[in-house]
Short mmCIF file of all heavy atoms in Angstrom, two decimals:
data_model
loop_
_atom_site.label_atom_id
_atom_site.label_comp_id
_atom_site.label_asym_id
_atom_site.label_seq_id
_atom_site.Cartn_x
_atom_site.Cartn_y
_atom_site.Cartn_z
N PRO A 1707 -42.34 -39.10 -0.77
CA PRO A 1707 -43.54 -38.75 -1.46
C PRO A 1707 -43.31 -38.66 -3.00
O PRO A 1707 -44.16 -38.96 -3.81
CB PRO A 1707 -43.94 -37.44 -0.85
CG PRO A 1707 -43.35 -37.38 0.50
CD PRO A 1707 -42.09 -38.16 0.31
N ALA A 1708 -42.14 -38.11 -3.41
CA ALA A 1708 -41.79 -37.94 -4.74
C ALA A 1708 -41.76 -39.32 -5.53
O ALA A 1708 -42.17 -39.48 -6.60
CB ALA A 1708 -40.48 -37.18 -4.95
N MET A 1709 -41.09 -40.30 -4.81
CA MET A 1709 -41.05 -41.64 -5.39
C MET A 1709 -42.40 -42.29 -5.46
O MET A 1709 -42.67 -43.11 -6.30
CB MET A 1709 -40.00 -42.48 -4.55
CG MET A 1709 -38.58 -42.05 -4.63
SD MET A 1709 -38.02 -41.57 -6.31
CE MET A 1709 -38.18 -43.18 -7.15
N LYS A 1710 -43.23 -42.04 -4.50
CA LYS A 1710 -44.63 -42.54 -4.63
C LYS A 1710 -45.36 -41.98 -5.83
O LYS A 1710 -46.09 -42.70 -6.54
CB LYS A 1710 -45.42 -42.18 -3.34
CG LYS A 1710 -45.05 -42.99 -2.13
CD LYS A 1710 -45.94 -42.68 -0.94
CE LYS A 1710 -45.63 -43.54 0.30
NZ LYS A 1710 -46.48 -43.22 1.49
N TRP A 1711 -45.14 -40.69 -6.09
CA TRP A 1711 -45.70 -40.05 -7.34
C TRP A 1711 -45.17 -40.77 -8.63
O TRP A 1711 -45.86 -41.11 -9.48
CB TRP A 1711 -45.43 -38.60 -7.34
CG TRP A 1711 -45.89 -37.90 -8.55
CD1 TRP A 1711 -47.15 -37.42 -8.71
CD2 TRP A 1711 -45.13 -37.64 -9.75
NE1 TRP A 1711 -47.30 -36.85 -9.93
CE2 TRP A 1711 -46.06 -36.92 -10.64
CE3 TRP A 1711 -43.82 -37.81 -10.12
CZ2 TRP A 1711 -45.68 -36.52 -11.87
CZ3 TRP A 1711 -43.46 -37.38 -11.41
CH2 TRP A 1711 -44.42 -36.75 -12.26
N VAL A 1712 -43.82 -40.97 -8.59
CA VAL A 1712 -43.24 -41.71 -9.73
C VAL A 1712 -43.80 -43.12 -9.87
O VAL A 1712 -44.09 -43.50 -11.01
CB VAL A 1712 -41.66 -41.77 -9.50
CG1 VAL A 1712 -41.05 -42.68 -10.59
CG2 VAL A 1712 -41.04 -40.43 -9.64
N ALA A 1713 -43.91 -43.82 -8.74
CA ALA A 1713 -44.55 -45.18 -8.86
C ALA A 1713 -45.92 -45.21 -9.40
O ALA A 1713 -46.25 -46.10 -10.17
CB ALA A 1713 -44.46 -45.77 -7.43
N ARG A 1714 -46.68 -44.17 -9.04
CA ARG A 1714 -48.06 -44.09 -9.55
C ARG A 1714 -48.06 -43.80 -11.09
O ARG A 1714 -48.87 -44.31 -11.87
CB ARG A 1714 -48.82 -43.01 -8.80
CG ARG A 1714 -49.30 -43.32 -7.43
CD ARG A 1714 -50.40 -42.38 -6.96
NE ARG A 1714 -49.93 -41.01 -6.87
CZ ARG A 1714 -49.34 -40.47 -5.83
NH1 ARG A 1714 -49.16 -41.20 -4.76
NH2 ARG A 1714 -48.96 -39.25 -5.82
N ARG A 1715 -47.07 -42.96 -11.49
CA ARG A 1715 -46.96 -42.69 -12.93
C ARG A 1715 -46.62 -43.96 -13.74
O ARG A 1715 -46.88 -44.00 -14.93
CB ARG A 1715 -45.91 -41.58 -13.11
CG ARG A 1715 -46.17 -40.24 -12.55
CD ARG A 1715 -47.23 -39.51 -13.40
NE ARG A 1715 -46.81 -39.21 -14.82
CZ ARG A 1715 -47.58 -38.80 -15.74
NH1 ARG A 1715 -48.86 -38.56 -15.48
NH2 ARG A 1715 -47.13 -38.60 -16.92
N CYS A 1716 -45.96 -44.87 -13.08
CA CYS A 1716 -45.52 -46.10 -13.76
C CYS A 1716 -46.48 -47.20 -13.51
O CYS A 1716 -46.16 -48.41 -13.85
CB CYS A 1716 -44.17 -46.54 -13.20
SG CYS A 1716 -42.84 -45.37 -13.72
N SER A 1717 -47.62 -46.98 -13.01
CA SER A 1717 -48.65 -48.00 -12.71
C SER A 1717 -49.21 -48.56 -14.05
O SER A 1717 -49.16 -47.87 -15.08
CB SER A 1717 -49.76 -47.45 -11.87
OG SER A 1717 -50.44 -46.50 -12.62
N PRO A 1718 -49.69 -49.83 -14.11
CA PRO A 1718 -50.22 -50.41 -15.31
C PRO A 1718 -51.35 -49.67 -15.98
O PRO A 1718 -51.60 -49.72 -17.10
CB PRO A 1718 -50.55 -51.88 -14.92
CG PRO A 1718 -49.98 -51.99 -13.50
CD PRO A 1718 -49.77 -50.76 -12.96
N GLU A 1719 -52.11 -48.92 -15.07
CA GLU A 1719 -53.26 -48.22 -15.57
C GLU A 1719 -52.88 -47.00 -16.44
O GLU A 1719 -53.62 -46.65 -17.30
CB GLU A 1719 -54.11 -47.72 -14.36
CG GLU A 1719 -54.81 -48.84 -13.61
CD GLU A 1719 -53.85 -49.44 -12.54
OE1 GLU A 1719 -52.73 -48.90 -12.34
OE2 GLU A 1719 -54.18 -50.46 -11.96
N ARG A 1720 -51.62 -46.49 -16.29
CA ARG A 1720 -51.26 -45.38 -17.10
C ARG A 1720 -50.35 -45.83 -18.22
O ARG A 1720 -49.37 -46.51 -18.03
CB ARG A 1720 -50.50 -44.40 -16.22
CG ARG A 1720 -51.33 -43.63 -15.20
CD ARG A 1720 -50.46 -42.79 -14.35
NE ARG A 1720 -51.27 -42.02 -13.41
CZ ARG A 1720 -51.79 -40.80 -13.70
NH1 ARG A 1720 -51.50 -40.21 -14.82
NH2 ARG A 1720 -52.49 -40.20 -12.75
N ASP A 1721 -50.72 -45.49 -19.42
CA ASP A 1721 -49.97 -45.80 -20.61
C ASP A 1721 -48.90 -44.84 -20.84
O ASP A 1721 -48.93 -43.93 -21.62
CB ASP A 1721 -50.88 -45.96 -21.79
CG ASP A 1721 -50.14 -46.47 -23.02
OD1 ASP A 1721 -49.13 -47.11 -22.85
OD2 ASP A 1721 -50.63 -46.30 -24.18
N VAL A 1722 -47.76 -45.00 -20.07
CA VAL A 1722 -46.66 -44.01 -20.12
C VAL A 1722 -45.37 -44.82 -20.35
O VAL A 1722 -45.23 -45.99 -20.08
CB VAL A 1722 -46.47 -43.18 -18.89
CG1 VAL A 1722 -47.77 -42.31 -18.69
CG2 VAL A 1722 -46.23 -44.01 -17.62
N VAL A 1723 -44.39 -44.15 -20.88
CA VAL A 1723 -42.99 -44.74 -21.08
C VAL A 1723 -42.28 -44.67 -19.71
O VAL A 1723 -42.15 -43.66 -19.16
CB VAL A 1723 -42.32 -43.94 -22.13
CG1 VAL A 1723 -40.84 -44.53 -22.25
CG2 VAL A 1723 -42.97 -43.97 -23.45
N ASN A 1724 -41.91 -45.85 -19.18
CA ASN A 1724 -41.31 -45.90 -17.89
C ASN A 1724 -39.81 -45.63 -17.79
O ASN A 1724 -39.28 -45.50 -16.80
CB ASN A 1724 -41.63 -47.30 -17.24
CG ASN A 1724 -43.13 -47.50 -17.12
OD1 ASN A 1724 -43.83 -46.73 -16.52
ND2 ASN A 1724 -43.66 -48.63 -17.60
N GLU A 1725 -39.15 -45.78 -19.01
CA GLU A 1725 -37.71 -45.76 -19.00
C GLU A 1725 -37.16 -44.43 -18.38
O GLU A 1725 -36.15 -44.52 -17.63
CB GLU A 1725 -37.19 -45.88 -20.40
CG GLU A 1725 -37.34 -47.27 -21.04
CD GLU A 1725 -36.59 -48.24 -20.15
OE1 GLU A 1725 -35.54 -47.97 -19.58
OE2 GLU A 1725 -37.16 -49.37 -20.01
N PRO A 1726 -37.64 -43.23 -18.62
CA PRO A 1726 -37.13 -42.06 -17.97
C PRO A 1726 -37.18 -42.18 -16.46
O PRO A 1726 -36.25 -41.69 -15.75
CB PRO A 1726 -37.98 -40.84 -18.53
CG PRO A 1726 -38.58 -41.40 -19.80
CD PRO A 1726 -38.74 -42.88 -19.60
N TYR A 1727 -38.31 -42.66 -16.02
CA TYR A 1727 -38.40 -42.79 -14.54
C TYR A 1727 -37.43 -43.82 -13.91
O TYR A 1727 -36.89 -43.65 -12.82
CB TYR A 1727 -39.78 -43.15 -14.15
CG TYR A 1727 -40.88 -42.13 -14.55
CD1 TYR A 1727 -41.75 -42.32 -15.55
CD2 TYR A 1727 -40.98 -40.93 -13.83
CE1 TYR A 1727 -42.69 -41.35 -15.93
CE2 TYR A 1727 -41.88 -39.98 -14.19
CZ TYR A 1727 -42.72 -40.18 -15.24
OH TYR A 1727 -43.64 -39.22 -15.61
N ILE A 1728 -37.27 -44.91 -14.64
CA ILE A 1728 -36.27 -45.89 -14.28
C ILE A 1728 -34.83 -45.39 -14.12
O ILE A 1728 -34.16 -45.48 -13.21
CB ILE A 1728 -36.28 -47.20 -15.16
CG1 ILE A 1728 -37.76 -47.83 -15.18
CG2 ILE A 1728 -35.26 -48.12 -14.76
CD1 ILE A 1728 -38.15 -48.52 -13.92
N CYS A 1729 -34.54 -44.64 -15.17
CA CYS A 1729 -33.19 -44.06 -15.30
C CYS A 1729 -33.03 -42.98 -14.20
O CYS A 1729 -31.96 -42.84 -13.63
CB CYS A 1729 -32.94 -43.47 -16.69
SG CYS A 1729 -32.89 -44.60 -17.98
N LEU A 1730 -34.03 -42.23 -14.02
CA LEU A 1730 -34.03 -41.21 -12.96
C LEU A 1730 -33.73 -41.80 -11.62
O LEU A 1730 -33.03 -41.30 -10.77
CB LEU A 1730 -35.34 -40.37 -12.94
CG LEU A 1730 -35.47 -39.22 -11.91
CD1 LEU A 1730 -34.47 -38.09 -12.39
CD2 LEU A 1730 -36.91 -38.72 -11.92
N THR A 1731 -34.46 -42.95 -11.33
CA THR A 1731 -34.31 -43.61 -10.02
C THR A 1731 -32.86 -44.27 -9.84
O THR A 1731 -32.35 -44.11 -8.83
CB THR A 1731 -35.36 -44.77 -9.95
OG1 THR A 1731 -36.68 -44.27 -10.18
CG2 THR A 1731 -35.28 -45.43 -8.57
N LEU A 1732 -32.32 -44.81 -10.94
CA LEU A 1732 -31.03 -45.30 -10.85
C LEU A 1732 -29.97 -44.23 -10.62
O LEU A 1732 -28.99 -44.41 -9.90
CB LEU A 1732 -30.67 -46.07 -12.13
CG LEU A 1732 -31.57 -47.39 -12.42
CD1 LEU A 1732 -31.15 -48.11 -13.67
CD2 LEU A 1732 -31.61 -48.31 -11.23
N ALA A 1733 -30.23 -43.11 -11.23
CA ALA A 1733 -29.35 -41.96 -11.05
C ALA A 1733 -29.45 -41.46 -9.56
O ALA A 1733 -28.52 -41.05 -8.92
CB ALA A 1733 -29.66 -40.77 -11.95
N GLY A 1734 -30.70 -41.60 -8.95
CA GLY A 1734 -30.92 -41.22 -7.64
C GLY A 1734 -30.11 -42.06 -6.69
O GLY A 1734 -29.68 -41.61 -5.60
N VAL A 1735 -29.92 -43.39 -7.00
CA VAL A 1735 -29.05 -44.23 -6.16
C VAL A 1735 -27.65 -43.66 -6.07
O VAL A 1735 -27.04 -43.54 -4.99
CB VAL A 1735 -29.05 -45.66 -6.73
CG1 VAL A 1735 -28.09 -46.56 -5.92
CG2 VAL A 1735 -30.46 -46.20 -6.81
N MET A 1736 -27.12 -43.27 -7.30
CA MET A 1736 -25.75 -42.77 -7.29
C MET A 1736 -25.60 -41.45 -6.57
O MET A 1736 -24.68 -41.19 -5.77
CB MET A 1736 -25.30 -42.61 -8.80
CG MET A 1736 -25.58 -43.75 -9.65
SD MET A 1736 -24.44 -45.15 -9.34
CE MET A 1736 -22.95 -44.58 -10.11
N VAL A 1737 -26.66 -40.55 -6.71
CA VAL A 1737 -26.61 -39.24 -6.09
C VAL A 1737 -26.68 -39.43 -4.57
O VAL A 1737 -26.00 -38.78 -3.81
CB VAL A 1737 -27.69 -38.31 -6.61
CG1 VAL A 1737 -27.78 -37.03 -5.80
CG2 VAL A 1737 -27.50 -38.02 -8.10
N SER A 1738 -27.62 -40.30 -4.11
CA SER A 1738 -27.68 -40.53 -2.72
C SER A 1738 -26.36 -41.12 -2.06
O SER A 1738 -25.98 -40.69 -1.02
CB SER A 1738 -28.83 -41.56 -2.48
OG SER A 1738 -30.03 -41.08 -2.87
N GLY A 1739 -25.76 -42.01 -2.81
CA GLY A 1739 -24.39 -42.52 -2.41
C GLY A 1739 -23.41 -41.45 -2.32
O GLY A 1739 -22.67 -41.37 -1.34
N PHE A 1740 -23.44 -40.57 -3.26
CA PHE A 1740 -22.43 -39.45 -3.31
C PHE A 1740 -22.64 -38.47 -2.05
O PHE A 1740 -21.70 -38.01 -1.42
CB PHE A 1740 -22.48 -38.64 -4.57
CG PHE A 1740 -21.66 -37.44 -4.61
CD1 PHE A 1740 -20.27 -37.56 -4.81
CD2 PHE A 1740 -22.17 -36.13 -4.41
CE1 PHE A 1740 -19.43 -36.35 -4.82
CE2 PHE A 1740 -21.38 -35.02 -4.42
CZ PHE A 1740 -20.04 -35.11 -4.59
N MET A 1741 -23.93 -38.20 -1.80
CA MET A 1741 -24.30 -37.27 -0.69
C MET A 1741 -23.81 -37.82 0.64
O MET A 1741 -23.20 -37.05 1.43
CB MET A 1741 -25.73 -37.02 -0.70
CG MET A 1741 -26.32 -36.18 -1.92
SD MET A 1741 -25.40 -34.62 -2.10
CE MET A 1741 -25.77 -33.82 -0.49
N THR A 1742 -23.99 -39.07 0.94
CA THR A 1742 -23.53 -39.66 2.22
C THR A 1742 -22.09 -39.76 2.30
O THR A 1742 -21.48 -39.52 3.34
CB THR A 1742 -24.20 -41.00 2.51
OG1 THR A 1742 -24.08 -41.82 1.36
CG2 THR A 1742 -25.66 -40.89 2.83
N ASP A 1743 -21.37 -39.94 1.25
CA ASP A 1743 -19.95 -39.99 1.15
C ASP A 1743 -19.43 -38.56 1.39
O ASP A 1743 -18.44 -38.36 2.12
CB ASP A 1743 -19.47 -40.43 -0.18
CG ASP A 1743 -18.01 -40.81 -0.19
OD1 ASP A 1743 -17.62 -41.86 0.31
OD2 ASP A 1743 -17.17 -39.90 -0.66
N LEU A 1744 -20.11 -37.53 0.83
CA LEU A 1744 -19.78 -36.15 1.04
C LEU A 1744 -19.99 -35.77 2.53
O LEU A 1744 -19.09 -35.03 3.11
CB LEU A 1744 -20.67 -35.25 0.20
CG LEU A 1744 -20.40 -33.72 0.25
CD1 LEU A 1744 -19.10 -33.37 -0.35
CD2 LEU A 1744 -21.53 -32.95 -0.53
N ILE A 1745 -21.02 -36.34 3.23
CA ILE A 1745 -21.20 -36.11 4.62
C ILE A 1745 -20.15 -36.62 5.38
O ILE A 1745 -19.72 -36.04 6.41
CB ILE A 1745 -22.60 -36.57 5.05
CG1 ILE A 1745 -23.75 -35.78 4.41
CG2 ILE A 1745 -22.76 -36.64 6.51
CD1 ILE A 1745 -25.10 -36.43 4.55
N GLY A 1746 -19.61 -37.78 5.01
CA GLY A 1746 -18.55 -38.45 5.79
C GLY A 1746 -18.97 -39.88 6.26
O GLY A 1746 -18.30 -40.54 7.00
N ILE A 1747 -20.19 -40.22 5.79
CA ILE A 1747 -20.67 -41.62 6.09
C ILE A 1747 -20.50 -42.37 4.76
O ILE A 1747 -20.62 -41.75 3.67
CB ILE A 1747 -22.13 -41.62 6.48
CG1 ILE A 1747 -22.36 -40.65 7.65
CG2 ILE A 1747 -22.61 -43.02 6.85
CD1 ILE A 1747 -23.79 -40.43 8.04
N HIS A 1748 -20.35 -43.69 4.77
CA HIS A 1748 -20.14 -44.46 3.59
C HIS A 1748 -21.26 -44.34 2.64
O HIS A 1748 -22.39 -44.17 2.97
CB HIS A 1748 -19.85 -45.90 3.98
CG HIS A 1748 -19.11 -46.79 2.91
ND1 HIS A 1748 -19.72 -47.13 1.80
CD2 HIS A 1748 -17.87 -47.08 2.91
CE1 HIS A 1748 -18.78 -47.80 1.05
NE2 HIS A 1748 -17.63 -47.83 1.74
N SER A 1749 -20.88 -44.38 1.32
CA SER A 1749 -21.83 -44.19 0.25
C SER A 1749 -22.99 -45.16 0.24
O SER A 1749 -24.07 -44.92 -0.15
CB SER A 1749 -21.14 -44.16 -1.07
OG SER A 1749 -20.46 -45.34 -1.27
N ILE A 1750 -22.71 -46.32 0.75
CA ILE A 1750 -23.74 -47.42 0.75
C ILE A 1750 -24.99 -47.05 1.63
O ILE A 1750 -26.04 -47.50 1.37
CB ILE A 1750 -23.18 -48.76 1.16
CG1 ILE A 1750 -22.54 -48.68 2.56
CG2 ILE A 1750 -22.20 -49.27 0.19
CD1 ILE A 1750 -22.15 -50.01 3.16
N PHE A 1751 -24.72 -46.16 2.60
CA PHE A 1751 -25.72 -45.76 3.49
C PHE A 1751 -26.85 -44.99 2.70
O PHE A 1751 -27.95 -45.15 2.94
CB PHE A 1751 -25.15 -44.92 4.67
CG PHE A 1751 -26.14 -44.59 5.73
CD1 PHE A 1751 -26.60 -45.52 6.60
CD2 PHE A 1751 -26.56 -43.28 5.78
CE1 PHE A 1751 -27.48 -45.20 7.64
CE2 PHE A 1751 -27.53 -42.92 6.80
CZ PHE A 1751 -27.93 -43.91 7.70
#
Side-chain angles (χ1 to χ4, degrees):
M1709 295 313 300
K1710 284 185 177 179
W1711 179 83
V1712 169
R1714 284 196 300 272
R1715 294 286 299 171
C1716 293
S1717 63
E1719 292 82 11
R1720 291 177 176 268
D1721 186 19
V1722 297
V1723 178
N1724 296 309
E1725 287 304 320
Y1727 296 107
I1728 300 290
C1729 294
L1730 184 68
T1731 305
L1732 298 182
V1735 178
M1736 310 291 281
V1737 173
S1738 300
F1740 175 78
M1741 291 305 298
T1742 48
D1743 193 80
L1744 182 67
I1745 288 169
I1747 307 174
H1748 202 283
S1749 56
I1750 59 173
F1751 187 73

